[in-house]
Structure formats: structure tokens, C-alpha cells
Amino acid sequence: MKPHLTWGILGAAGFARKTMAPAIHAARRTHLKSVATRDPARAIPFADLVPGLKVERSYEAILDDPEIDAVYIPLPNALHTEWSAKAARAGKHVLCEKPIGLSLADIDHLIATREATSRLIAEAWMPAHHPQWHRTRALLAEGAIGTLRSVSGAFTYALADASNIRLSAELGGGGLRDVGVYPIGGFRLATGLEPVPSHVDLVQEGGVDTSAWVAATAGEVRFNFHVSMRAARYQVMMFHGTEGTLTLPAPFNPGTYAEARIVIARDGADVQVIRFPGVDQYVAQVEAVAAHVLDGVAFACPLEFSRGTQAVLDAIFAQAAA
């Protein structure tokens, strides 16, 4: 068996250039071989990062390369399902940016493709690979804050560029697809519960949601979250139990937004802070792909998990339309 995975990137998106290419380059047991872009100038930062990097003029060239084991896909949302399936059928393992699909049907198609090709197809939902979330789930399960009663979350940022693809309905844009997947997925990952939306308030611009306020229930637990592309940069997840609260001040972008930590406040007790210094969740995500492919280790964010989050999104959009 090969000692490492050789990667290609389909597209020279800014996030690939700034975050994921460096993560692939830094991860253990991985090698970044090529990037595909129709504009060679956009490949220059990638080549500066990885001397000898091969620049392809088409995505198909990477899929046809027998040395490429895995591909990272940072294309616009509307292209994620199509190119994930194409890559898997070409024999490549796939790590695709979120949302990996725009509907349950998309993800069901990818699950069927994964089974038919025996290739990993996974969404790049990076919190699943950060230890603060695994610790949060364990703490909640052991009753660190008593019986869980409610969860609240937020993820907002101010999008100034009117030409950004996140504002394109044709390309699958919108705030819920961009950042709504984080509080929804965080709730599901930490609690193991499936929220059902009960109230939805969306602000729409040009056919996409730019802000959303959602109330949901999961059994006896209430879940409320707010996401926006039109508000100041902010993120938090807070779990409220009968005996205290557990807060993640940087749940989704630890390191770049704020320090990764869990803050536990119990009635009559000193506040407990658990820190996670030096963790790069993007590197951990790439290394998790290698561990799955090379060692058979279960992947922390399989398509079934992504499907559960998509089911919540579909329900939110259906309720908003009604």
C-alpha cells in the first residue's frame, strides 16, 4: 500500500489558496501534486507554496492523472455534487467544500456513488475534526451541566463584495448554506439529536438568504440560532443545562477567530476553562482522510452526517417557502 496520498485541487479559489492548500501541504502522509485552473496567474501562490507543483488547465486533467489519489473541491456550491461524483467515478477519493449538496437527493446520489466506487466522498465540515467538539460531546453525555435544556448558536460576518458567489442563487449561494451548516451540525454533533424547525425568519436578497433566525426542537431540547452575511463578525455555541452552561467562544473558526476553548460555568462553582492550543482543524481534516484511506479509520464526517444537516436545511427552506 502507498505510504501517502497524492492530492490535486479542482480550482484556485481563495479559500483553497489561503487555507486548504497549506493544510494539504502541511498534513502528514500527503503530497500536493497539482492544481487545475484556466488562469495560470491564479496558480502562482500555489506554486510558491509547493515547488514543482503541476498546473493543469482543466479539472479533467487531474481526474485523468493516475498518480492522483484524492481531490479537494472548492468550486461554487452548485457544482459540488457533480464534480464529487465525477471524481469518485474516476477513482479518486473526494474532500469537497460544504455544502456538498443542495438537497437530500444530491447527497443520496453521492452516497450511492460512494458505495458503487468504494471511494471516500466527504464534506469538508472541519469542526468534526477538532477536539473541542469531541470533548463537548463527551462532557454533555456525562452530565457536566446536568440535563440539557437549550442550545443557542450564531455565526455572522459582513459580506462587502456584491459580486461574491455567496450572493448568487444560480450558484447555490446563501447564508444558511454557507454558515448555517455550522450551528446545525454543531448541535447535532454535540448532542446526537436531530432538530426539527418550528419557526423560520429569513431575509432574502436577490433570491438568496442573507440572514436567518431559526427556532427548532429536538425532543425536550430547544435550539435557536442566527446566521448572517450582513452582520458583524461573530460566532458562539452555548449549551444550557439544569446545573450550568457550556460555551464554545470560537466553535467554528478557532485560531483565526479566537482561542479554541470550552467554558463551563456551574452554579456555585468556579468557572472551568479547557483550552486546545495549537490545533489546526484543516490539517487534522486532511490527515483524517489519509487515516481513512490508508488505515481504514472511520471518517468523522461521513455523508450520512452531512445528510442529516441537509435534512434540517431542506426543512428550513420548505417552512420559509410555506
Side-chain angles (χ1 to χ4, degrees):
M1 179 177 289
K2 291 180 62 173
H4 66 273
L5 292 184
T6 299
W7 287 75
I9 298 178
L10 304 189
F15 187 75
R17 180 182 73 252
K18 298 174 184 176
T19 302
M20 284 306 297
I24 294 171
H25 185 55
R28 295 169 295 178
R29 301 200 295 172
T30 66
H31 167 62
L32 179 56
K33 179 186 177 182
S34 57
V35 63
T37 174
R38 294 180 179 87
D39 181 0
R42 300 189 66 187
I44 292 173
F46 294 85
D48 290 342
L49 174 70
V50 184
L53 182 83
K54 188 173 184 180
V55 179
E56 303 284 9
R57 298 300 294 269
S58 71
Y59 306 148
E60 289 85 358
I62 287 183
L63 300 190
D64 291 340
D65 185 344
E67 293 185 359
I68 296 293
D69 304 302
V71 296
Y72 167 65
I73 301 176
L75 300 173
N77 294 347
L79 301 177
H80 287 175
T81 300
E82 174 189 355
W83 282 97
S84 292
K86 285 182 178 179
R89 290 195 296 267
K92 314 304 181 188
H93 299 284
V94 177
L95 182 65
C96 178
E97 265 311 315
K98 50 76 194 166
I100 198 168
L102 300 182
S103 66
L104 284 177
D106 283 348
I107 298 182
D108 286 340
H109 171 63
L110 291 178
I111 290 174
T113 303
R114 180 195 66 190
E115 297 305 303
T117 61
S118 298
R119 291 295 181 268
L120 174 70
I121 305 176
E123 184 175 53
W125 193 75
M126 69 286 183
H129 308 282
H130 198 290
Q132 72 170 344
W133 280 100
H134 301 296
R135 188 69 176 275
T136 294
R137 179 164 185 147
L139 287 165
L140 293 176
E142 67 191 35
I145 57 171
T147 301
L148 185 64
R149 294 302 190 200
S150 66
V151 180
S152 58
F155 195 171
T156 64
Y157 64 95
L159 183 61
D161 181 6
S163 65
N164 192 286
I165 62 173
R166 292 171 178 84
L167 296 174
S168 169
E170 293 75 17
L171 295 177
L176 282 163
R177 287 176 173 143
D178 188 37
V179 291
V181 295
Y182 292 111
I184 295 170
F187 175 91
R188 298 179 58 248
L189 180 66
T191 67
L193 300 173
E194 299 297 340
V196 178
S198 55
H199 178 76
V200 175
D201 184 7
L202 301 186
V203 174
Q204 301 264 358
E205 297 179 34
V208 303
D209 58 285
T210 52
S211 296
W213 293 261
V214 178
T217 57
E220 298 299 314
V221 179
R222 295 186 177 275
F223 174 38
N224 296 275
F225 72 90
H226 167 50
V227 295
S228 180
M229 301 189 291
R230 298 303 196 200
R233 185 169 175 251
Y234 180 66
Q235 56 183 261
V236 70
M237 285 290 287
M238 193 272 280
F239 301 82
H240 200 155
T242 55
E243 299 173 19
T245 60
L246 184 156
T247 303
L248 279 69
F252 311 123
N253 296 126
T256 57
Y257 177 72
E259 177 191 44
R261 65 193 190 276
I262 297 170
V263 181
I264 301 172
R266 300 182 184 90
D267 293 342
D270 292 338
V271 173
Q272 178 186 5
V273 180
I274 305 170
R275 292 181 166 84
F276 301 85
V279 176
D280 187 320
Q281 61 186 352
Y282 300 103
V283 172
Q285 179 176 244
V286 175
E287 291 181 346
V289 174
H292 175 79
V293 173
L294 300 177
D295 305 327
V297 176
F299 194 72
C301 186
L303 285 174
E304 286 77 8
F305 181 83
S306 300
R307 189 184 192 282
T309 297
Q310 185 63 53
V312 179
L313 285 176
D314 282 6
I316 289 172
F317 288 130
Q319 190 166 133

